[in-house]
PDB file of all heavy atoms in Angstrom:
ATOM      1  N   ALA A 103     -15.202  -1.047  13.563  1.00  0.00           N
ATOM      2  CA  ALA A 103     -13.986  -0.319  13.925  1.00  0.00           C
ATOM      3  C   ALA A 103     -14.133   1.163  13.612  1.00  0.00           C
ATOM      4  O   ALA A 103     -13.756   2.029  14.413  1.00  0.00           O
ATOM      5  CB  ALA A 103     -12.793  -0.896  13.168  1.00  0.00           C
ATOM      6  N   LEU A 104     -14.707   1.463  12.459  1.00  0.00           N
ATOM      7  CA  LEU A 104     -14.906   2.865  12.072  1.00  0.00           C
ATOM      8  C   LEU A 104     -15.825   3.578  13.059  1.00  0.00           C
ATOM      9  O   LEU A 104     -15.560   4.723  13.459  1.00  0.00           O
ATOM     10  CB  LEU A 104     -15.492   2.912  10.662  1.00  0.00           C
ATOM     11  CG  LEU A 104     -15.616   4.279  10.001  1.00  0.00           C
ATOM     12  CD1 LEU A 104     -14.272   4.995   9.963  1.00  0.00           C
ATOM     13  CD2 LEU A 104     -16.188   4.140   8.597  1.00  0.00           C
ATOM     14  N   ALA A 105     -16.882   2.884  13.498  1.00  0.00           N
ATOM     15  CA  ALA A 105     -17.807   3.488  14.459  1.00  0.00           C
ATOM     16  C   ALA A 105     -17.105   3.772  15.788  1.00  0.00           C
ATOM     17  O   ALA A 105     -17.324   4.820  16.407  1.00  0.00           O
ATOM     18  CB  ALA A 105     -19.006   2.565  14.675  1.00  0.00           C
ATOM     19  N   VAL A 106     -16.246   2.842  16.218  1.00  0.00           N
ATOM     20  CA  VAL A 106     -15.511   3.029  17.475  1.00  0.00           C
ATOM     21  C   VAL A 106     -14.584   4.241  17.365  1.00  0.00           C
ATOM     22  O   VAL A 106     -14.551   5.100  18.248  1.00  0.00           O
ATOM     23  CB  VAL A 106     -14.708   1.759  17.821  1.00  0.00           C
ATOM     24  CG1 VAL A 106     -13.670   2.042  18.919  1.00  0.00           C
ATOM     25  CG2 VAL A 106     -15.649   0.652  18.274  1.00  0.00           C
ATOM     26  N   TYR A 107     -13.802   4.307  16.278  1.00  0.00           N
ATOM     27  CA  TYR A 107     -12.878   5.427  16.103  1.00  0.00           C
ATOM     28  C   TYR A 107     -13.625   6.758  16.040  1.00  0.00           C
ATOM     29  O   TYR A 107     -13.187   7.759  16.626  1.00  0.00           O
ATOM     30  CB  TYR A 107     -12.070   5.247  14.817  1.00  0.00           C
ATOM     31  CG  TYR A 107     -10.931   4.264  14.912  1.00  0.00           C
ATOM     32  CD1 TYR A 107     -10.766   3.271  13.952  1.00  0.00           C
ATOM     33  CD2 TYR A 107      -9.981   4.347  15.928  1.00  0.00           C
ATOM     34  CE1 TYR A 107      -9.709   2.372  14.016  1.00  0.00           C
ATOM     35  CE2 TYR A 107      -8.931   3.453  16.006  1.00  0.00           C
ATOM     36  CZ  TYR A 107      -8.791   2.469  15.037  1.00  0.00           C
ATOM     37  OH  TYR A 107      -7.755   1.594  15.110  1.00  0.00           O
ATOM     38  N   GLN A 108     -14.739   6.785  15.318  1.00  0.00           N
ATOM     39  CA  GLN A 108     -15.483   8.037  15.176  1.00  0.00           C
ATOM     40  C   GLN A 108     -16.027   8.510  16.520  1.00  0.00           C
ATOM     41  O   GLN A 108     -15.992   9.707  16.835  1.00  0.00           O
ATOM     42  CB  GLN A 108     -16.611   7.864  14.159  1.00  0.00           C
ATOM     43  CG  GLN A 108     -16.115   7.764  12.725  1.00  0.00           C
ATOM     44  CD  GLN A 108     -17.224   7.450  11.735  1.00  0.00           C
ATOM     45  OE1 GLN A 108     -18.131   6.667  12.031  1.00  0.00           O
ATOM     46  NE2 GLN A 108     -17.163   8.030  10.558  1.00  0.00           N
ATOM     47  N   TYR A 109     -16.547   7.571  17.316  1.00  0.00           N
ATOM     48  CA  TYR A 109     -17.063   7.948  18.637  1.00  0.00           C
ATOM     49  C   TYR A 109     -15.913   8.401  19.540  1.00  0.00           C
ATOM     50  O   TYR A 109     -16.016   9.418  20.239  1.00  0.00           O
ATOM     51  CB  TYR A 109     -17.803   6.767  19.263  1.00  0.00           C
ATOM     52  CG  TYR A 109     -18.342   7.070  20.643  1.00  0.00           C
ATOM     53  CD1 TYR A 109     -19.358   8.002  20.826  1.00  0.00           C
ATOM     54  CD2 TYR A 109     -17.815   6.433  21.771  1.00  0.00           C
ATOM     55  CE1 TYR A 109     -19.840   8.297  22.095  1.00  0.00           C
ATOM     56  CE2 TYR A 109     -18.293   6.722  23.033  1.00  0.00           C
ATOM     57  CZ  TYR A 109     -19.309   7.647  23.196  1.00  0.00           C
ATOM     58  OH  TYR A 109     -19.781   7.941  24.452  1.00  0.00           O
ATOM     59  N   ALA A 110     -14.793   7.654  19.510  1.00  0.00           N
ATOM     60  CA  ALA A 110     -13.650   8.011  20.350  1.00  0.00           C
ATOM     61  C   ALA A 110     -13.092   9.378  19.978  1.00  0.00           C
ATOM     62  O   ALA A 110     -12.653  10.138  20.844  1.00  0.00           O
ATOM     63  CB  ALA A 110     -12.564   6.943  20.217  1.00  0.00           C
ATOM     64  N   GLU A 111     -13.142   9.709  18.679  1.00  0.00           N
ATOM     65  CA  GLU A 111     -12.615  11.005  18.241  1.00  0.00           C
ATOM     66  C   GLU A 111     -13.433  12.160  18.801  1.00  0.00           C
ATOM     67  O   GLU A 111     -12.898  13.241  19.075  1.00  0.00           O
ATOM     68  CB  GLU A 111     -12.600  11.035  16.706  1.00  0.00           C
ATOM     69  CG  GLU A 111     -11.904  12.248  16.098  1.00  0.00           C
ATOM     70  CD  GLU A 111     -12.879  13.354  15.784  1.00  0.00           C
ATOM     71  OE1 GLU A 111     -14.078  13.061  15.584  1.00  0.00           O
ATOM     72  OE2 GLU A 111     -12.457  14.530  15.755  1.00  0.00           O
ATOM     73  N   THR A 112     -14.738  11.942  19.022  1.00  0.00           N
ATOM     74  CA  THR A 112     -15.550  12.999  19.633  1.00  0.00           C
ATOM     75  C   THR A 112     -15.185  13.189  21.100  1.00  0.00           C
ATOM     76  O   THR A 112     -15.313  14.286  21.640  1.00  0.00           O
ATOM     77  CB  THR A 112     -17.053  12.686  19.514  1.00  0.00           C
ATOM     78  OG1 THR A 112     -17.357  11.504  20.281  1.00  0.00           O
ATOM     79  CG2 THR A 112     -17.455  12.472  18.069  1.00  0.00           C
ATOM     80  N   LEU A 113     -14.737  12.108  21.741  1.00  0.00           N
ATOM     81  CA  LEU A 113     -14.348  12.190  23.153  1.00  0.00           C
ATOM     82  C   LEU A 113     -12.929  12.714  23.324  1.00  0.00           C
ATOM     83  O   LEU A 113     -12.638  13.425  24.292  1.00  0.00           O
ATOM     84  CB  LEU A 113     -14.448  10.805  23.799  1.00  0.00           C
ATOM     85  CG  LEU A 113     -15.828  10.139  23.819  1.00  0.00           C
ATOM     86  CD1 LEU A 113     -15.714   8.724  24.385  1.00  0.00           C
ATOM     87  CD2 LEU A 113     -16.817  10.950  24.643  1.00  0.00           C
ATOM     88  N   TYR A 114     -12.037  12.348  22.382  1.00  0.00           N
ATOM     89  CA  TYR A 114     -10.615  12.700  22.509  1.00  0.00           C
ATOM     90  C   TYR A 114     -10.136  13.338  21.203  1.00  0.00           C
ATOM     91  O   TYR A 114      -9.354  12.743  20.439  1.00  0.00           O
ATOM     92  CB  TYR A 114      -9.786  11.447  22.823  1.00  0.00           C
ATOM     93  CG  TYR A 114     -10.318  10.654  23.997  1.00  0.00           C
ATOM     94  CD1 TYR A 114     -11.083   9.501  23.790  1.00  0.00           C
ATOM     95  CD2 TYR A 114     -10.080  11.061  25.304  1.00  0.00           C
ATOM     96  CE1 TYR A 114     -11.588   8.783  24.864  1.00  0.00           C
ATOM     97  CE2 TYR A 114     -10.574  10.350  26.383  1.00  0.00           C
ATOM     98  CZ  TYR A 114     -11.332   9.215  26.154  1.00  0.00           C
ATOM     99  OH  TYR A 114     -11.827   8.509  27.218  1.00  0.00           O
ATOM    100  N   PRO A 115     -10.581  14.540  20.894  1.00  0.00           N
ATOM    101  CA  PRO A 115     -10.288  15.157  19.590  1.00  0.00           C
ATOM    102  C   PRO A 115      -8.820  15.516  19.381  1.00  0.00           C
ATOM    103  O   PRO A 115      -8.424  15.794  18.256  1.00  0.00           O
ATOM    104  CB  PRO A 115     -11.169  16.413  19.590  1.00  0.00           C
ATOM    105  CG  PRO A 115     -11.407  16.716  21.037  1.00  0.00           C
ATOM    106  CD  PRO A 115     -11.457  15.389  21.733  1.00  0.00           C
ATOM    107  N   GLU A 116      -8.022  15.503  20.437  1.00  0.00           N
ATOM    108  CA  GLU A 116      -6.607  15.840  20.312  1.00  0.00           C
ATOM    109  C   GLU A 116      -5.707  14.630  20.493  1.00  0.00           C
ATOM    110  O   GLU A 116      -4.486  14.767  20.494  1.00  0.00           O
ATOM    111  CB  GLU A 116      -6.228  16.915  21.358  1.00  0.00           C
ATOM    112  CG  GLU A 116      -7.018  18.209  21.247  1.00  0.00           C
ATOM    113  CD  GLU A 116      -6.782  18.918  19.932  1.00  0.00           C
ATOM    114  OE1 GLU A 116      -5.607  18.998  19.518  1.00  0.00           O
ATOM    115  OE2 GLU A 116      -7.753  19.383  19.308  1.00  0.00           O
ATOM    116  N   ASP A 117      -6.292  13.446  20.646  1.00  0.00           N
ATOM    117  CA  ASP A 117      -5.486  12.252  20.869  1.00  0.00           C
ATOM    118  C   ASP A 117      -4.910  11.767  19.538  1.00  0.00           C
ATOM    119  O   ASP A 117      -5.648  11.380  18.627  1.00  0.00           O
ATOM    120  CB  ASP A 117      -6.335  11.150  21.516  1.00  0.00           C
ATOM    121  CG  ASP A 117      -5.488   9.963  21.937  1.00  0.00           C
ATOM    122  OD1 ASP A 117      -5.153   9.145  21.063  1.00  0.00           O
ATOM    123  OD2 ASP A 117      -5.181   9.844  23.134  1.00  0.00           O
ATOM    124  N   LEU A 118      -3.584  11.750  19.435  1.00  0.00           N
ATOM    125  CA  LEU A 118      -2.943  11.397  18.168  1.00  0.00           C
ATOM    126  C   LEU A 118      -3.225   9.959  17.754  1.00  0.00           C
ATOM    127  O   LEU A 118      -3.376   9.670  16.560  1.00  0.00           O
ATOM    128  CB  LEU A 118      -1.428  11.615  18.279  1.00  0.00           C
ATOM    129  CG  LEU A 118      -0.952  13.066  18.353  1.00  0.00           C
ATOM    130  CD1 LEU A 118       0.554  13.117  18.556  1.00  0.00           C
ATOM    131  CD2 LEU A 118      -1.337  13.820  17.095  1.00  0.00           C
ATOM    132  N   ASN A 119      -3.278   9.043  18.712  1.00  0.00           N
ATOM    133  CA  ASN A 119      -3.525   7.643  18.371  1.00  0.00           C
ATOM    134  C   ASN A 119      -4.925   7.446  17.804  1.00  0.00           C
ATOM    135  O   ASN A 119      -5.118   6.706  16.836  1.00  0.00           O
ATOM    136  CB  ASN A 119      -3.325   6.754  19.602  1.00  0.00           C
ATOM    137  CG  ASN A 119      -1.881   6.648  20.009  1.00  0.00           C
ATOM    138  OD1 ASN A 119      -0.999   6.584  19.159  1.00  0.00           O
ATOM    139  ND2 ASN A 119      -1.622   6.652  21.300  1.00  0.00           N
ATOM    140  N   ILE A 120      -5.897   8.111  18.402  1.00  0.00           N
ATOM    141  CA  ILE A 120      -7.279   8.004  17.908  1.00  0.00           C
ATOM    142  C   ILE A 120      -7.395   8.656  16.532  1.00  0.00           C
ATOM    143  O   ILE A 120      -7.977   8.077  15.598  1.00  0.00           O
ATOM    144  CB  ILE A 120      -8.259   8.675  18.894  1.00  0.00           C
ATOM    145  CG1 ILE A 120      -8.255   7.936  20.254  1.00  0.00           C
ATOM    146  CG2 ILE A 120      -9.662   8.706  18.300  1.00  0.00           C
ATOM    147  CD1 ILE A 120      -8.755   6.521  20.201  1.00  0.00           C
ATOM    148  N   LEU A 121      -6.850   9.860  16.384  1.00  0.00           N
ATOM    149  CA  LEU A 121      -6.910  10.559  15.096  1.00  0.00           C
ATOM    150  C   LEU A 121      -6.216   9.748  14.001  1.00  0.00           C
ATOM    151  O   LEU A 121      -6.732   9.612  12.887  1.00  0.00           O
ATOM    152  CB  LEU A 121      -6.265  11.936  15.205  1.00  0.00           C
ATOM    153  CG  LEU A 121      -7.034  13.003  15.987  1.00  0.00           C
ATOM    154  CD1 LEU A 121      -6.168  14.255  16.148  1.00  0.00           C
ATOM    155  CD2 LEU A 121      -8.338  13.355  15.301  1.00  0.00           C
ATOM    156  N   SER A 122      -5.051   9.193  14.334  1.00  0.00           N
ATOM    157  CA  SER A 122      -4.305   8.412  13.345  1.00  0.00           C
ATOM    158  C   SER A 122      -5.047   7.138  12.977  1.00  0.00           C
ATOM    159  O   SER A 122      -5.097   6.751  11.803  1.00  0.00           O
ATOM    160  CB  SER A 122      -2.908   8.076  13.876  1.00  0.00           C
ATOM    161  OG  SER A 122      -2.154   9.245  14.080  1.00  0.00           O
TER     162      SER A 122
END
Side-chain angles (χ1 to χ4, degrees):
L104 187 56
V106 166
Y107 282 131
Q108 288 174 322
Y109 179 67
E111 188 266 335
T112 65
L113 299 175
Y114 308 101
E116 301 297 316
D117 188 280
L118 290 176
N119 290 322
I120 296 296
L121 288 173
S122 297

